[in-house]
Amino acid sequence: MTVNDNGITSTSINGNAIEFQSICKRFGSTLANDKVSFAVKAGEVHAIVGENGAGKTTLMRILYGLHKPDSGTIYVRGKEARIESPKDAIALGIGMVQQHFALIKRFTVAENIILGQEGSKFYISREKGNKLIAELSRSFDLSVDPEARIEELSVGEQQRVELLKVLYRKADIIILDEPTAVLTPQEIESLYATIERMKASGKTIIFITHKLKEVFRVADTITVMRGGRSIATMSVAEVTPQELSELIIGKELRVRGEQRVEPKNTEALVVENLVVLGERGNEVLKGLNLVLKENELLGIAGVEGNGQTELVEALCGLRRAVNGRIMLFGHELTGTPPWLLRSKGIAHIPEDRLSSGMIDEFTVYENLILGYQTEFSRAGLLQKNEIMNETAKLMDEYDIRPRDLEVKMKNLSGGNQQKVVIARELRKNPKVLIANQPTRGLDVGAALFVHNKLLEAKSKGSVLLISSDLDEIMELSDRIAVIYEGRIVGEFDKKDKVEDIGSAMLGGKGEYA
Amino acid sequence: MIDISIIILSTLRRSTPLIFASLGAVYSERSGVVNIGLEGIMLVGAFVSVIASNAFGLLPGILLAVVAGMAVAALHGMATITFKANQIVSGVAINLFGMGITAFIPEALMGMTDIRALNSAPLLAGLTPLVYVAIALIPVSHFLLFHTVLGLRLRSVGENPASADSLGINVSTMRYLGVVLSGALAALGGAYLALEQGGGFTKNMVAGRGFIALAAMIFGNWTPFGALGASLLFGFSDSIQTVIQTMGYTIPSQAIQALPYILTIIVLVVAVKRVRMPEADGKPYLR
Ligand SMILES: Nc1ncnc2c1ncn2[C@@H]1O[C@H](COP(=O)(O)OP(=O)(O)OP(=O)(O)O)[C@@H](O)[C@H]1O
Ligand SMILES: [Mg+2]
């Protein structure tokens, strides 16, 4: 038995850190949690997996006091707990890193970490806070500059801040909701190391993910959720990846469409010597060259931050090219505004759906026709019937749940929001699809479905796939181009070794994790 | 030749109501609540300060004005924080309420439009005490907002209430605090106008200063010192207009009187690019 500084007693390894008993939560007509019952043992890494919309986030938000359950009981360290707000959860030693980070962009790292537990009643001493944070980052090997503002940090660094927030509050039950979805492979490795370290210091970790590889890598125990229910809890040793994926989607995983169309020789999209500036006026793309053939799926592999975002923005007309050309089937497109590019057949799945893929206060049907309103209007009036028919069709095809045409986008689970964006962009059979991290946040079944859709899009046009998931790139691409510091530094095909690609991603230096 | 010290004193006097109200706006908007009801609250403050000081003396009069301002602001808080109403709509309602009630009571119940203040404040080096209070509140507020626990929490709910909430901070409490403080300060501005500048209450005497104070807050980038600087600028343009009038140019007086308002528009156009408002300013928070 150990007692931490909050005076919280954590029971020995065999006790339960958390026990859910018959938790129910309904949102309107959706039963998000339906009699969820399972236990998380103290000191283990407990993975929760399940389809998009299975109710994982909802359950964790209940545990952290952000939602009130309609019924059911939560036991924390064997005692019935009343968790009315995050304050109660924090007092019980529970910490949570949410699916969408909850950081204050304009505040410094230190301010974000100490907020709510400033360590004094009145005056805030910067030095004292910085020292505390420095110690904490050292002991968990999470380096960040306490004085930096959040908006200056990369996603990976921001996540470290979220972890430090939790550790600063001396939480010993730590919830991580899809922590790896937005990280680069290197950052994922260092997150694993942090998880190991937290576990070694006696903490209990609840880890939500869609990547089965990760489950087998870090978890001790797995709980599968489906349709709001917890359907199984087992130890990792008891199950194979194949069995697990079937448990998750409730049926056999459909195999990938293997009949692939061979790329033609026509050049669909040509990028010549493209130079683009970043936010600070520095050259981010330094003369990038690229050819995408008709019926080709070209994968762009690279460590995040080497110009991928800027390349995509330039191709979509969202960022000005200071030099170079972009050509579509021999016609110059450089400088064309986004709306015109769309009508010329360029579609775009953005990497950050929340900020550039959707309007969260709009309904699903409004989001599905965004940018294509004119197609559904006559004399300036939207034709609701046509829109609804199309929406119903797309929701069926893409399995968007709950199947409610008028549900607000913000009330969909993360994965279902992503499906809406993809459905809209693919609907018109684009000539060139630019897919930036298209399976981010999708469950195994949905990711496979999207992979098949990308292959289908390639058979009707061509696809530029940008992904930090090298497995995804290797599986789908006809050809792989590696981007490094604003240039394409190498071209590979499937037969090449992953190690070689990985090494090119690091500029030919060093080992790729 | 115009005496510089006259212009300085006049600038300080004319700036004072703006300093109070724009500082109030800083508190409210830093907590995430837009309070365009400042104009109405200033009117209420002015009115109550005259009535109450005539009855109970100067200091109790000012205190009661502050209490009244806080009460009206709390109404705005209730509408926008507890019931999540649109902040602009509620602010407009507060303004209409302030203008209405301060016009109605004197005319309908007391049968007069102007109420003279019977007590007047002592002068210290040519200025009344509230001028010093206004200026002293600037560094105090800066310290409070940027170096204390309370300030950090207040700003956090104006930037990202979901984040603050997830760290156990009560978003509503912090926002009420910001709004009620803005009410207290706006009422002080009104009381100053009535007691120390106008010598009494006249209908609609605030004359748009509540809105100019909002512009000062924006131009001052939502900071106390910025609000002070911008208020002084507006106060200066206001006192210059009197000077121009006394110099005997044949500019129509309406054009000169419009000077502060024109300056407001120019300032706002200039300011948009270099200021940054709190991220969640104006947005109700629903968990
Ligand atoms: N605030 C809300 N209002 C209405 N419905 C909601 C709300 N939050 C979640 N839901 C619904 O509850 C269900 C469960 O959502 P939840 O976010 O828990 O899923 P999830 O398992 O985390 O999925 P994902 O893997 O896609 O993140 C979904 O159908 C979702 O649409
Ligand atoms: Mg989720």
Side-chain angles (χ1 to χ4, degrees):
Chain A
M1 195 128 126
T2 52
V3 180
N4 74 11
D5 302 9
N6 284 347
I8 295 165
T9 347
S10 55
T11 14
S12 61
I13 290 298
N14 296 322
N16 286 338
I18 301 284
E19 193 181 337
F20 295 104
Q21 217 169 68
S22 213
I23 304 288
C24 293
K25 175 75 188 176
R26 178 182 285 282
F27 294 108
S29 60
T30 322
L31 198 51
N33 282 169
D34 181 7
K35 304 203 199 75
V36 176
S37 305
F38 67 94
V40 177
K41 289 200 211 88
E44 70 174 354
V45 178
H46 193 115
I48 301 181
V49 294
E51 289 181 296
N52 295 127
K56 306 178 293 293
T57 298
T58 304
L59 184 69
M60 291 303 115
R61 286 174 66 88
I62 289 173
L63 177 57
Y64 194 61
L66 287 165
H67 285 319
K68 237 195 206 115
D70 301 333
S71 62
T73 322
I74 297 176
Y75 296 89
V76 178
R77 296 181 202 85
K79 271 200 273 226
E80 182 173 342
R82 279 170 48 92
I83 307 174
E84 303 268 329
S85 74
K87 210 174 180 152
D88 299 337
I90 294 168
L92 284 165
I94 300 171
M96 177 166 181
V97 177
Q98 301 191 49
Q99 191 165 1
H100 303 125
F101 294 161
L103 292 169
I104 300 173
K105 285 194 246 153
R106 233 173 140 176
F107 280 17
T108 64
V109 168
E111 286 171 334
N112 268 282
I113 293 174
I114 64 170
L115 180 63
Q117 282 190 16
E118 296 82 354
S120 80
K121 284 245 158 351
F122 184 66
Y123 180 68
I124 294 179
S125 152
R126 278 228 322 262
E127 290 73 40
K128 219 175 84 193
N130 290 354
K131 218 177 112 226
L132 260 175
I133 291 158
E135 273 165 30
L136 204 58
S137 12
R138 213 166 319 115
S139 61
F140 286 92
D141 202 12
L142 294 164
S143 66
V144 278
D145 170 11
E147 302 261 324
R149 291 193 188 281
I150 297 299
E151 56 198 352
E152 301 162 358
L153 302 183
S154 71
V155 180
E157 289 171 311
Q158 293 187 15
Q159 187 175 62
R160 269 179 255 158
V161 179
E162 285 284 22
L163 285 167
L164 285 169
K165 268 165 74 176
V166 166
L167 294 168
Y168 174 81
R169 284 165 182 73
K170 308 224 162 60
D172 66 356
I173 298 169
I174 298 174
I175 307 163
L176 307 174
D177 193 352
E178 293 193 35
T180 56
V182 291
L183 298 186
T184 65
Q186 290 87 339
E187 288 167 337
I188 292 176
E189 280 303 318
S190 80
L191 177 68
Y192 291 159
T194 308
I195 291 177
E196 295 288 318
R197 208 171 287 231
M198 294 194 297
K199 188 179 157 186
S201 68
K203 299 187 189 295
T204 307
I205 291 140
I206 302 178
F207 181 90
I208 299 180
T209 185
H210 288 299
K211 298 181 192 154
L212 300 188
K213 210 167 76 179
E214 295 176 353
V215 174
F216 288 95
R217 171 78 192 268
V218 298
D220 302 305
T221 311
I222 310 168
T223 289
V224 181
M225 291 189 66
R226 195 197 306 151
R229 274 194 294 251
S230 50
I231 58 166
T233 297
M234 70 217 109
S235 113
V236 264
E238 293 174 282
V239 65
T240 66
Q242 182 64 28
E243 286 165 355
L244 186 58
S245 63
E246 278 162 25
L247 264 176
I248 290 172
I249 60 174
K251 56 184 182 241
E252 253 179 76
L253 204 57
R254 275 182 304 168
V255 280
R256 197 171 311 293
E258 268 314 324
Q259 285 268 323
R260 293 203 192 175
V261 189
E262 280 301 308
K264 292 205 183 84
N265 251 335
T266 352
E267 293 178 341
L269 186 77
V270 177
V271 177
E272 269 172 22
N273 197 28
L274 188 65
V275 177
V276 161
L277 302 184
E279 299 301 341
R280 295 189 199 91
N282 51 328
E283 274 190 15
V284 178
L285 295 187
K286 304 165 181 166
L288 183 136
N289 292 297
L290 193 75
V291 175
L292 175 66
K293 302 223 172 81
E294 204 176 346
N295 293 350
E296 183 179 43
L297 195 152
L298 175 64
I300 306 265
V303 176
E304 227 161 294
N306 275 290
Q308 292 94 323
T309 307
E310 289 78 7
L311 171 63
V312 169
E313 287 177 354
L315 292 177
C316 298
L318 296 168
R319 195 175 277 268
R320 203 171 65 87
V322 287
N323 208 342
R325 301 199 295 173
I326 300 167
M327 320 269 288
L328 182 69
F329 289 105
H331 296 285
E332 176 143 7
L333 286 185
T334 331
T336 313
W339 64 270
L340 198 56
L341 286 176
R342 284 184 149 246
S343 68
K344 287 187 189 296
I346 294 191
H348 171 211
I349 301 170
E351 65 182 324
D352 182 1
R353 57 174 172 266
L354 288 181
S355 69
S356 36
M358 56 185 244
I359 298 177
D360 65 356
E361 287 290 336
F362 277 17
T363 61
V364 167
Y365 78 82
E366 285 165 327
N367 272 287
L368 276 172
I369 62 161
L370 268 188
Y372 300 106
Q373 307 88 323
T374 41
E375 196 186 315
F376 293 96
S377 64
R378 244 170 277 134
L381 296 177
L382 288 174
Q383 302 298 306
K384 193 105 182 248
N385 273 341
E386 289 172 30
I387 296 172
M388 289 310 187
N389 288 338
E390 186 66 19
T391 303
K393 213 182 85 205
L394 289 172
M395 287 186 91
D396 288 340
E397 186 181 350
Y398 286 82
D399 193 20
I400 296 165
R401 281 182 262 175
R403 204 185 162 295
D404 172 356
L405 284 60
E406 313 227 6
V407 68
K408 272 200 184 165
M409 199 68 170
K410 65 171 181 194
N411 290 337
L412 289 188
S413 78
N416 282 296
Q417 292 172 344
Q418 183 73 7
K419 290 190 221 167
V420 171
V421 175
I422 293 175
R424 178 186 65 220
E425 296 304 315
L426 285 182
R427 191 177 67 83
K428 298 281 284 176
N429 294 327
K431 286 201 189 110
V432 171
L433 171 70
I434 298 160
N436 198 355
Q437 316 286 359
T439 54
R440 195 170 259 182
L442 292 185
D443 65 45
V444 265
L448 185 69
F449 173 79
V450 168
H451 285 169
N452 284 334
K453 278 286 173 191
L454 291 179
L455 292 175
E456 192 184 315
K458 152 196 143 87
S459 70
K460 294 175 183 162
S462 36
V463 179
L464 192 66
L465 169 68
I466 296 96
S467 174
S468 56
D469 183 350
L470 200 50
D471 295 339
E472 180 171 81
I473 297 247
M474 295 293 283
E475 256 185 79
L476 297 174
S477 310
D478 296 307
R479 205 155 49 92
I480 298 157
V482 174
I483 188 170
Y484 178 74
E485 290 192 345
R487 286 192 190 91
I488 299 296
V489 293
E491 273 190 21
F492 299 85
D493 66 32
K494 278 189 224 291
K495 289 176 225 83
D496 286 306
K497 282 211 287 278
V498 184
E499 289 75 31
D500 295 339
I501 300 178
S503 157
M505 284 166 65
L506 298 176
K509 309 178 278 268
E511 294 279 304
Y512 184 75
Chain B
M1 196 48 222
I2 306 144
D3 193 342
I4 297 291
S5 70
I6 292 183
I7 295 191
I8 293 177
L9 287 181
S10 152
T11 298
L12 283 171
R13 281 190 209 108
R14 285 162 197 271
S15 303
T16 298
L18 299 176
I19 297 173
F20 278 122
S22 61
L23 187 60
V26 169
Y27 279 107
S28 180
E29 299 216 354
R30 280 283 180 174
S31 80
V33 182
V34 173
N35 188 357
I36 63 159
L38 291 177
E39 177 86 6
I41 298 176
M42 287 176 88
L43 273 170
V44 170
F47 177 70
V48 172
S49 74
V50 173
I51 300 285
S53 70
N54 285 353
F56 309 114
L58 201 60
L59 202 58
I62 293 173
L63 286 178
L64 281 171
V66 168
V67 171
M70 286 163 66
V72 179
L75 277 180
H76 181 56
M78 193 149 73
T80 59
I81 302 165
T82 306
F83 296 108
K84 326 276 180 206
N86 182 299
Q87 299 179 358
I88 303 299
V89 173
S90 167
V92 169
I94 295 287
N95 281 336
L96 294 176
F97 167 78
M99 288 177 205
I101 197 154
T102 56
F104 172 78
I105 294 179
E107 280 174 38
L109 304 182
M110 304 160 75
M112 50 183 169
T113 46
D114 297 351
I115 309 163
R116 270 174 46 87
L118 304 176
N119 301 302
S120 62
L123 287 180
L124 300 164
L127 297 166
T128 50
L130 279 181
V131 180
Y132 298 100
V133 172
I135 290 171
L137 278 177
I138 297 295
V140 170
S141 299
H142 176 84
F143 178 78
L144 198 70
L145 279 171
F146 297 104
H147 295 283
T148 69
V149 172
L150 190 70
L152 186 73
R153 294 184 178 186
L154 187 108
R155 287 186 293 127
S156 74
V157 302
E159 294 287 339
N160 188 343
S163 168
D165 187 17
S166 74
L167 294 177
I169 289 165
N170 192 323
V171 177
S172 298
T173 309
M174 284 298 136
R175 289 193 161 180
Y176 266 105
L177 183 72
V179 174
V180 167
L181 274 176
S182 81
L185 288 163
L188 267 179
Y192 171 83
L193 267 181
L195 295 179
E196 302 188 4
Q197 206 174 49
F201 182 82
T202 53
K203 187 175 160 181
N204 246 338
M205 66 181 300
V206 175
R209 286 183 181 82
F211 294 105
I212 295 182
L214 283 174
M217 168 207 67
I218 294 170
F219 192 45
N221 201 9
W222 285 263
T223 62
F225 280 107
L228 171 69
S231 298
L232 287 172
L233 179 69
F234 288 125
F236 176 70
S237 86
D238 199 7
S239 51
I240 278 290
Q241 73 163 297
T242 350
V243 174
I244 295 174
Q245 274 168 334
T246 54
M247 290 199 312
Y249 289 116
T250 52
I251 307 168
S253 67
Q254 288 88 342
I256 298 169
Q257 278 161 12
L259 200 65
Y261 303 96
I262 293 167
L263 184 71
T264 308
I265 293 171
I266 295 173
V267 151
L268 283 181
V269 171
V270 173
V272 269
K273 283 234 159 103
R274 40 166 290 274
V275 299
R276 181 164 166 194
M277 73 169 187
E279 200 114 323
D281 195 7
K283 297 185 188 131
Y285 175 61
L286 282 157
R287 189 180 271 171

